[in-house]
Amino acid sequence: MSVSGISPLHEEHLPVVAIVGRPNVGKSTLFNRLIRKRRAITDAVPGVTRDPVTEPWMLADHKVLLVDSGGVKLDLEGLDSLVREKSLSLLTQADAVILLMDCTEITPEDEMLVEAVRPYSDRVVLAVNKVDDPVRDPLVWNFHAFGFSRVVSISSAHGLGIEDLEDALIELLDLSEPTSVQEEEKSIRLAVLGKPNTGKSTLVNLLTGKETSIVSDIPGTTRDVISGAFKYKGAKYSILDTAGIRRKSKVDEDIEYYSVNRAIGAIDDADVVLLMIDADIGLVDQDKKIAQLIVRKGKGVVLVVNKIDMLNRIANQIEALKDRVRFLFPILSFAPLVTISAKESTGIPGLLDTVWTVYKQLNKRIETAQFNTMLRTWSESYQPARSSSGHYKVFYGTQVSAAPVRFLLFVNKKSGFPTGYEQYLKNAIRRDLGFPYIPIEIELKERRRNTKENRL
């Protein structure tokens, strides 16, 4: 189901290179090796990757999209059929396919994959992995029997043979001529966070207009951070779907531990965080901890109450829900709250309009002269408390950064400066200078008054 005004962004002009293979052949290790960072979660447990993980990759001075996929299994249980379907769908979408196999064995799953890939053989590079010892070199000859014209031996863990793989892809994609890379249009970066099963993946799929993430009632379905893009009212957005964050006592798998840490790390990559709350369940303690992280990092945040279609149609129920969220979320008293149903596609334009408002406030700057004029007005209305050694005084201030928004105030005494007065100034800044929906940080610096001009 689409939403009016939202258009998916598909980078169709970029060649797509997909890595496919059965579980545990080293796909995610190769993916991380090629993009030169730990983007995909790697673990010895089979089936760690579920959703396709996409990342831009520079290949011979050309930008391409590299896709890591979930391992394709023969015996299906749980989410395996959804993972296999999504992974095999890449064969029709990719301009080049890296079929990754393990040099030490050929399994029935490998043979099934070879047959699935064979219709696309003109786009395939068969990469034989784990050739990390000269003793294993002769094993590669066994894989030429599959009839693919491009076969390379590599060790994704040790970086051996990577140049040969890249050369094969360059030839396949005809990237011999270098091209200039155009500067990308700046996009508003969103991260969707929350506890498991709040509808994060459903919302991301709705906004991107495609099945970016696997949607399931099974908690912990999303493991890697999954990215997508869309446009709304002329602005470009990128969005990150993250693993559901549970409290530590509930995280009993190493894989989930890494997933949760990647999700928390997505806060750093975002301009605005969408903190998803299940309307039926309400807030949990873990939501508050996520909120504290968001505020500490100075990011924009929108509280998104999802699944309002599940509520009973009782008068004022939504208002009562909002009041409860505000009562339990004092740290985010400034943050806007919107109600949606990602499943029913309701409330989405209002959500994105709110995101735009928050983003503009995050990037707003106030001239120093204007700020000090207002600072004098606020000081005249309410002066700081007096200590045993005299009044606390604010001489002047300035905005030192946007996104996050920080103000520096020069005061006569930093030690013991009333926290209540700091909060008063934060509220005044939000109210009078146009920052009502974002976190604001105030830093104090001690400076002795030496001229009359510094006096408020």
Side-chain angles (χ1 to χ4, degrees):
M1 186 180 297
S2 61
V3 179
S4 176
I6 300 174
S7 56
L9 277 180
H10 304 293
E11 298 187 85
E12 298 173 353
H13 58 291
L14 294 181
V16 175
V17 179
I19 306 173
V20 300
R22 64 173 170 83
N24 254 25
V25 290
K27 296 184 299 300
S28 295
T29 302
L30 176 60
F31 180 83
N32 291 341
R33 169 72 63 180
L34 294 175
I35 64 172
R36 295 179 174 84
K37 60 182 176 181
R38 291 182 60 83
R39 172 72 167 79
I41 296 173
T42 57
D43 196 276
V45 176
V48 171
T49 301
R50 289 172 174 169
D51 292 291
V53 180
T54 304
E55 188 78 10
W57 174 40
M58 293 304 297
L59 176 63
D61 296 322
H62 289 256
K63 186 177 181 182
V64 303
L65 291 181
L66 186 66
V67 185
D68 182 22
S69 64
V72 177
K73 296 182 179 181
L74 272 178
D75 299 326
L76 304 178
E77 58 181 6
L79 295 170
D80 291 342
S81 60
L82 292 174
V83 173
R84 185 168 78 175
E85 179 183 347
K86 190 169 284 288
S87 296
L88 293 180
S89 71
L90 293 171
L91 299 177
T92 61
Q93 303 167 22
D95 299 283
V97 175
I98 302 173
L99 173 58
L100 197 64
M101 300 177 74
D102 185 332
C103 72
T104 62
E105 62 176 340
I106 297 173
T107 70
E109 288 168 327
D110 288 319
E111 293 172 344
M112 180 269 288
L113 258 173
V114 166
E115 292 309 309
V117 168
R118 196 174 297 284
Y120 311 95
S121 57
D122 59 329
R123 291 185 250 153
V124 173
V125 177
L126 172 54
V128 185
N129 193 25
K130 304 183 183 181
V131 187
D132 43 23
D133 188 302
V135 175
R136 292 183 171 183
D137 286 344
L139 299 177
V140 178
W141 289 106
N142 298 328
F143 294 83
H144 284 271
F146 289 117
F148 293 103
S149 60
R150 302 177 184 88
V151 180
V152 296
S153 64
I154 67 169
S155 170
S156 56
H158 298 89
L160 304 175
I162 298 301
E163 288 187 5
D164 294 335
L165 173 60
E166 291 179 345
D167 288 343
L169 291 170
I170 290 167
E171 178 191 10
L172 190 158
L173 295 170
D174 193 21
L175 301 180
S176 55
E177 293 295 327
T179 59
S180 59
V181 179
Q182 294 184 347
E183 185 175 345
E184 288 190 11
E185 178 187 352
K186 182 175 173 59
S187 63
I188 301 171
R189 299 167 299 174
L190 307 179
V192 187
L193 271 75
K195 66 184 292 294
N197 279 24
T198 51
K200 299 182 296 296
S201 296
T202 302
L203 176 62
V204 171
N205 289 346
L206 175 64
L207 292 173
T208 58
K210 58 182 180 179
E211 296 299 310
T212 301
S213 303
I214 293 174
V215 175
S216 169
D217 292 333
I218 301 173
T221 299
T222 302
R223 285 175 169 169
D224 287 287
V225 175
I226 310 303
S227 60
F230 63 95
K231 263 193 171 183
Y232 178 68
K233 292 186 175 179
K236 182 180 177 182
Y237 293 78
S238 60
I239 188 165
L240 303 174
D241 182 15
T242 66
I245 300 177
R246 300 192 288 174
R247 65 180 186 271
K248 284 186 179 179
S249 62
K250 295 290 186 180
V251 178
D252 51 9
E253 296 181 31
D254 286 343
I255 295 167
E256 186 173 355
Y257 170 80
Y258 289 118
S259 297
V260 168
N261 276 275
R262 297 283 173 89
I264 292 172
I267 298 173
D268 290 322
D269 296 330
D271 297 308
V272 180
V273 176
L274 306 182
L275 184 52
M276 300 282 284
I277 302 166
D278 189 317
D280 193 39
I281 298 173
L283 291 168
V284 296
D285 287 338
Q286 199 63 19
D287 292 324
K288 298 178 184 178
K289 293 177 181 178
I290 300 171
Q292 290 171 346
L293 282 172
I294 297 167
V295 172
R296 192 185 311 154
K297 294 175 182 291
K299 302 294 184 175
V301 56
V302 179
L303 297 170
V304 185
V305 180
N306 189 30
K307 304 185 183 180
I308 58 170
D309 55 294
M310 302 293 289
L311 296 178
N312 296 322
R313 301 301 179 184
I314 301 174
N316 299 324
Q317 187 175 11
I318 291 178
E319 289 306 314
L321 176 65
K322 289 181 178 179
D323 291 341
R324 179 166 175 75
V325 169
R326 291 299 185 197
F327 176 75
L328 295 174
F329 253 121
I331 193 172
L332 289 181
S333 59
F334 61 86
L337 183 151
V338 297
T339 57
I340 69 165
S341 170
K343 182 180 178 181
E344 301 293 331
S345 306
T346 57
I348 305 303
L351 168 61
L352 295 179
D353 289 339
T354 302
V355 166
W356 175 256
T357 299
V358 170
Y359 177 77
K360 296 300 287 184
Q361 290 181 20
L362 280 171
N363 291 276
K364 184 176 182 177
R365 284 189 173 272
I366 302 298
E367 295 292 333
T368 299
Q370 178 189 359
F371 180 66
N372 283 287
T373 297
M374 296 305 301
L375 201 52
R376 282 190 287 271
T377 301
W378 299 328
S379 181
E380 289 168 1
S381 299
Y382 174 38
Q383 297 226 351
R386 180 184 176 90
S387 70
S388 58
S389 58
H391 277 291
Y392 288 98
K393 290 183 171 59
V394 181
F395 296 140
Y396 58 94
T398 186
Q399 183 179 353
V400 292
S401 73
V405 173
R406 294 192 176 104
F407 290 87
L408 176 63
L409 301 181
F410 292 88
V411 299
N412 63 337
K413 289 182 296 182
K414 183 177 177 180
S415 178
F417 194 90
T419 56
Y421 198 74
E422 280 190 62
Q423 189 59 51
Y424 161 73
L425 290 177
K426 284 183 180 180
N427 293 339
I429 290 169
R430 288 198 179 100
R431 181 190 66 233
D432 298 335
L433 295 180
F435 299 99
Y437 295 143
I438 64 169
I440 291 171
E441 182 179 328
I442 289 180
E443 180 184 350
L444 302 178
K445 187 171 184 179
E446 195 167 295
R447 180 170 179 177
R448 294 292 177 184
R449 182 182 60 185
N450 52 23
T451 64
K452 290 184 178 180
E453 285 74 21
N454 287 338
R455 187 182 306 159
L456 290 175

